[in-house]
Amino acid sequence: MNIYLDLFLTFAKVGVCTFGGGYAMLPILQREVVEKKGWAADEELTDYFAIGQCTPGIIAVNTATFIGHKYKGLAGGILATLGVVFPSLVIITAIAAFLSNFAEFPVVQHALAGVNAAVVALIASSVLKLSKSTLKDAVCIGIFLVAVVLAFFVGLSPVLLIVAAGLVGYVVRMLWKLELGGSAK
């Protein structure tokens, strides 16, 4: 198959699972891009998620753009982005045309409640997979725990959390390197 068509179709498949937003797509992105296609490693995907969270836009769209660009340059980035948003455009257009007429029906409300529950499970799955490849030592676990507390109990902005965590990680690793005379991971 043409690689550009493959990029578009792979990300379109991911884009079909947009219920719940970008975070719900993360485990699907991981399976398609890392496990099936080998277009990125787990660590790269984690970096793309972090950068995608910090940049304007939807995390799944940003991540698709990064992966497509890494794999096939500008054209790959554009096709991956179009692929991930195309299903949403079609689905939202169809829903907008019909939902206002059916939103009050109990069957529609119950179906959406079920979809929302599945989205929570997908996000939890993504968190577990990311934690396995990211929380490898005491420094990372410490940064994670502090970020959880600041996010849930203080309500600190995700962008500030990511920037601060990056700075703390860098400073700790550099101090570790200087102190031990070894290499920083």
Side-chain angles (χ1 to χ4, degrees), residues 7-178:
L7 266 169
F8 179 84
L9 293 176
T10 297
F11 284 100
K13 185 187 328 181
V14 171
V16 168
C17 303
T18 57
F19 287 100
Y23 292 111
M25 287 189 227
L26 298 183
I28 299 160
L29 269 169
Q30 194 274 339
R31 184 181 64 239
E32 292 297 320
V33 170
V34 175
E35 294 173 12
K36 288 187 177 179
K37 301 292 184 175
W39 291 339
D42 274 326
E43 293 78 19
E44 285 178 297
L45 195 59
T46 302
D47 291 343
Y48 293 149
F49 290 160
I51 294 167
Q53 178 65 42
C54 292
T55 54
I58 300 168
I59 188 171
V61 173
N62 295 345
T63 303
T65 306
F66 295 146
I67 292 166
H69 185 271
K70 176 201 172 243
Y71 191 61
K72 280 294 179 185
L74 181 62
I78 291 170
L79 285 170
T81 303
L82 290 174
V84 82
V85 299
F86 182 74
S88 298
L89 179 65
V90 172
I91 292 168
I92 289 170
T93 302
I95 289 173
F98 298 104
L99 186 61
S100 61
N101 298 329
F102 300 105
E104 301 302 317
F105 290 173
V107 67
V108 172
Q109 292 174 347
H110 296 313
L112 290 175
V115 167
N116 289 337
V119 166
V120 171
L122 288 171
I123 293 170
S125 169
S126 182
V127 168
L128 290 173
K129 285 182 180 180
L130 286 173
S131 69
K132 289 177 186 176
S133 66
T134 304
L135 303 178
K136 295 181 178 180
D137 59 30
V139 173
C140 292
I141 292 170
I143 291 171
F144 167 76
L145 293 174
V146 170
V148 166
V149 168
L150 291 174
F152 285 111
F153 300 110
V154 178
L156 199 61
S157 161
V159 173
L160 290 176
L161 279 173
I162 291 170
V163 170
L167 289 173
V168 169
Y170 175 77
V171 169
V172 168
R173 295 291 187 200
M174 289 299 107
L175 289 175
W176 186 339
K177 181 180 179 181
L178 290 174

